[in-house]
Amino acid sequence: MLFEFLSTGTMLGITGIAFYQKQNSINETDKILKIADNCGLYKGDEHLRIYRRTRNKKLKFTEYVFMTPLGLSEKDFLDKFDNFKDGLNNKSVRKIDLKKFTELKFNKTLPKQIRDIFDYRQDLKKELEMDYDGMLRIRVFDHGIVNQFNYDNELLKKVSNWKVPIGITHKAFIYHDFDKMQILIVAGMTRYGKTVFLKNATTTLIHNEPDNFTATLIDLKGGLAFARYKDCKQVKALATNKDETLAVLEDIEVELKRRQELFLKNGWEDIGEANWKERHFVIIDEAAEIAGFDQVDRDRAYYLIGEIARIGAGLGFRLIFCTQYPTVDILPRQVKANTSAALCFKLKTSNQSMVVLDKTGAEKLPLGVPGRAIYQSDQERIVQTPFISNAFIDDLIKPHIKINIKSKGEVKNEQQTNTEDEATGKYTTVFEEAGLFNKKPNTKNTRSKK
Ligand SMILES: Nc1ncnc2c1ncn2[C@@H]1O[C@H](COP(=O)(O)OP(=O)(O)OP(=O)(O)O)[C@@H](O)[C@H]1O
Ligand SMILES: [Mg+2]
């Protein structure tokens, strides 16, 4: 009896859904035609006419192909993209969740429970794609982009080498390949996910390229976000203030020159030809803080960052330049000029969006959705970036953390009080490691100010 009832309920649900989907796509055709008319997309008595409608079950979208009136261009339709999108999303819809039929409770509220299943309404968040090839094609996806998705082991498997997960769109997973695009600008208002993305990139690269990834981390918000990486063997330096920032940038400048000479001497055109596997990432969180340096230091820091952008790529350097306030003063000209990729979270103004993306739009990303961003590279896509938790990061980087690194002073003191350990020679390694692996940049470096 129970089984019979459940199957009847389930059948009812299936029939309901099939009916709803059919009704929905018929209504959708009418709606598209109506939106086109209301937007003036007709010529005389020639209107848009439906040619074909197909359903893609796997990617969950319906494609509508329309014949268009003579005299209208691709631009006429693409200009009205927002009108079509808003028009198709302007109401809530009845949504029947089949799973709910298996959760029915057999008591006197049963009729109400069934009614609730059929009456449930959900706001539409359909995603649209539109293109024109003589006919107008509109793909309407059942679901828009999700508001949250987590970085987990499955996601990690989707990237290798120098690829870093950027996020998911309404239909696909997107990554950034630092082998192809060596500089990435990251911008966005406070609390929208910049630092989480930088941690995603750092963790992914430590895990996937442990022997070839080298990082110089510049964290001008006090070093809190990057502190967990400071003892990873891939991290060459962590700078958390002005002097340390200038010192690490000067070190990189020296290394750039050294590599340039070496490449020249050996006739190597670039890092690929040198068959050099190591890539040195300079990751700057909150570059706007540099604007607060005194003028000489600020100019020097911008010059040095500019040099990494200008000549670093061919010499094996990669740059992630991240800022909350993208203005022309904060984004060095050389960085902008040499960058072809940006990850842009919500921004305050269209002017800021212009600085990062050369177009407006980032100011229109939804309020209160951290992780939502525009990723611009060879194409432009709206993505939800993965949320990586600190616990997950710690698990992944644990095997790469150097333990027992002690300062020479600490080691000396212990040597005096612990002859047993001295006899084992344990500290010889510690000394070597401490000397070799000096995380705190030498801020006493002489800087040649330009
Ligand atoms: N991809 C994401 N998905 C979901 N939530 C996220 C995501 N990224 C960040 N968040 C949430 O937003 C909070 C702020 O993120 P984050 O520290 O990266 O911001 P931020 O852009 O670096 O801000 P600030 O400019 O103040 O440093 C996180 O603690 C987390 O709760
Ligand atoms: Mg931050």
Side-chain angles (χ1 to χ4, degrees):
M1 172 65 187
L2 178 69
F3 174 74
E4 255 176 44
F5 187 87
L6 275 180
S7 353
T8 315
T10 308
M11 280 317 293
L12 247 163
I14 292 170
T15 317
I17 288 168
F19 176 73
Y20 156 73
Q21 274 181 346
K22 189 156 182 239
Q23 274 302 108
N24 186 44
S25 52
I26 291 168
N27 292 343
E28 219 157 55
T29 315
D30 290 345
K31 222 168 174 186
I32 294 171
L33 293 172
K34 187 140 197 207
I35 296 166
D37 277 355
N38 289 347
C39 290
L41 293 170
Y42 58 89
K43 282 273 168 194
D45 52 8
E46 265 193 77
H47 296 258
L48 220 58
R49 273 184 298 144
I50 183 80
Y51 175 72
R52 193 177 59 223
R53 188 182 68 226
T54 43
R55 174 87 190 149
N56 184 321
K57 282 191 186 145
K58 193 162 162 241
L59 290 178
K60 297 201 170 139
F61 69 81
T62 307
E63 183 179 72
Y64 303 88
V65 182
F66 295 95
M67 289 184 286
T68 58
L70 281 175
L72 289 179
S73 68
E74 175 174 12
K75 187 172 180 306
D76 292 324
F77 289 101
L78 297 186
D79 280 353
K80 300 291 180 198
F81 179 87
D82 288 344
N83 301 62
F84 281 103
K85 186 166 176 186
D86 293 346
L88 288 169
N89 279 309
N90 75 344
K91 62 166 190 167
S92 62
V93 283
R94 200 184 296 280
K95 174 125 185 151
I96 299 164
D97 183 355
L98 201 55
K99 214 171 112 223
K100 294 263 185 259
F101 285 98
T102 61
E103 294 165 3
L104 287 173
K105 294 197 178 65
F106 293 93
N107 55 31
K108 64 177 186 209
T109 66
L110 188 63
K112 181 171 181 312
Q113 292 175 51
I114 295 174
R115 242 189 352 261
D116 286 350
I117 293 174
F118 279 98
D119 283 350
Y120 177 72
R121 300 186 79 83
Q122 195 180 50
D123 284 342
L124 287 174
K125 281 189 193 142
K126 293 182 179 183
E127 200 54 53
L128 239 68
E129 283 179 1
M130 214 163 131
D131 49 66
Y132 185 85
D133 56 2
M135 297 234 197
L136 175 70
R137 288 168 193 278
I138 300 182
R139 281 179 289 281
V140 183
F141 288 78
D142 297 356
H143 303 289
I145 192 164
V146 294
N147 279 357
Q148 162 119 18
F149 97 107
N150 291 333
Y151 195 125
D152 58 15
N153 284 312
E154 284 310 300
L155 185 70
L156 186 59
K157 281 188 211 148
K158 291 186 181 170
V159 283
S160 57
N161 305 107
W162 302 107
K163 299 184 186 92
V164 165
I166 285 289
I168 43 172
T169 66
H170 58 284
K171 61 172 183 182
F173 166 69
I174 310 291
Y175 59 78
H176 178 87
D177 189 350
F178 281 99
D179 221 13
K180 301 214 168 82
M181 278 168 280
Q182 292 85 2
I183 306 172
L184 179 68
I185 296 173
V186 178
M189 278 162 66
T190 180
R191 311 298 291 163
Y192 270 84
K194 298 182 298 296
T195 302
V196 167
F197 171 75
L198 298 182
K199 292 196 288 183
N200 150 13
T202 310
T203 310
T204 307
L205 295 168
I206 286 177
H207 180 271
N208 285 349
E209 285 288 352
D211 299 327
N212 300 321
F213 173 59
T214 301
T216 289
L217 305 174
I218 300 178
D219 183 348
L220 289 165
K221 276 202 163 172
L224 295 176
F226 288 150
R228 59 187 1 95
Y229 300 103
K230 78 176 191 314
D231 291 330
C232 289
K233 63 173 190 277
Q234 293 82 2
V235 175
K236 187 163 191 293
L238 168 64
T240 60
N241 58 38
K242 182 185 82 174
D243 287 345
E244 290 172 3
T245 300
L246 284 158
V248 296
L249 291 174
E250 294 291 355
D251 282 352
I252 290 170
E253 167 83 342
V254 170
E255 179 60 15
L256 282 173
K257 293 214 166 108
R258 192 186 71 82
R259 288 191 192 183
Q260 247 179 342
E261 277 168 27
L262 185 73
F263 281 30
L264 208 62
K265 206 165 89 191
N266 288 289
W268 299 326
E269 198 180 315
D270 58 24
I271 194 92
E273 208 175 357
N275 201 16
W276 194 318
K277 301 274 179 273
E278 186 240 15
R279 298 290 181 272
H280 187 147
F281 281 65
V282 181
I283 303 178
I284 308 174
D285 197 2
E286 210 28 271
E289 295 286 324
I290 296 171
F293 294 2
D294 57 71
Q295 196 186 340
V296 177
D297 287 338
R298 183 179 60 222
D299 290 351
R300 182 69 183 155
Y302 281 150
Y303 167 77
L304 294 169
I305 295 168
E307 284 298 276
I308 300 171
R310 191 175 67 85
I311 54 171
L315 299 167
F317 281 84
R318 303 289 179 259
L319 176 66
I320 309 183
F321 184 95
C322 177
T323 181
Q324 190 181 326
Y325 306 104
T327 59
V328 275
D329 316 332
I330 279 160
L331 196 59
R333 203 169 42 83
Q334 289 290 4
V335 174
K336 180 69 182 153
N338 288 285
T339 305
S340 50
L343 179 66
C344 191
F345 296 89
K346 186 169 177 66
L347 286 171
K348 271 202 181 120
T349 66
S350 52
N351 282 349
Q352 291 180 343
S353 181
M354 285 295 293
V355 171
V356 183
L357 302 170
D358 293 321
K359 62 193 286 195
T360 63
E363 75 287 359
K364 289 199 192 125
L365 287 169
L367 255 178
V369 186
R372 186 63 53 84
I374 297 172
Y375 173 62
Q376 194 181 59
S377 56
D378 45 347
Q379 287 178 46
E380 191 175 289
R381 284 159 287 203
I382 295 184
V383 295
Q384 182 66 25
T385 56
F387 176 76
I388 188 161
S389 71
N390 287 338
F392 189 76
I393 295 175
D394 291 344
D395 261 7
L396 284 188
I397 65 174
K398 208 176 343 172
H400 306 283
I401 288 183
K402 286 193 143 199
I403 42 168
N404 258 345
I405 300 176
K406 298 180 183 180
S407 71
K408 288 186 183 178
E410 275 175 311
V411 174
K412 236 182 200 161
N413 287 341
E414 286 184 45
Q415 277 178 315
Q416 281 163 4
T417 53
N418 192 342
T419 45
E420 201 182 313
D421 274 345
E422 199 177 10
T424 64
K426 179 179 155 196
Y427 289 123
T428 321
T429 345
V430 176
F431 262 133
E432 278 171 3
E433 282 181 350
L436 266 176
F437 216 69
N438 192 7
K439 294 293 163 106
K440 277 282 165 193
N442 176 14
T443 52
K444 293 202 179 69
N445 268 0
T446 42
R447 296 202 291 273
S448 55
K449 292 186 178 174
K450 292 207 172 172

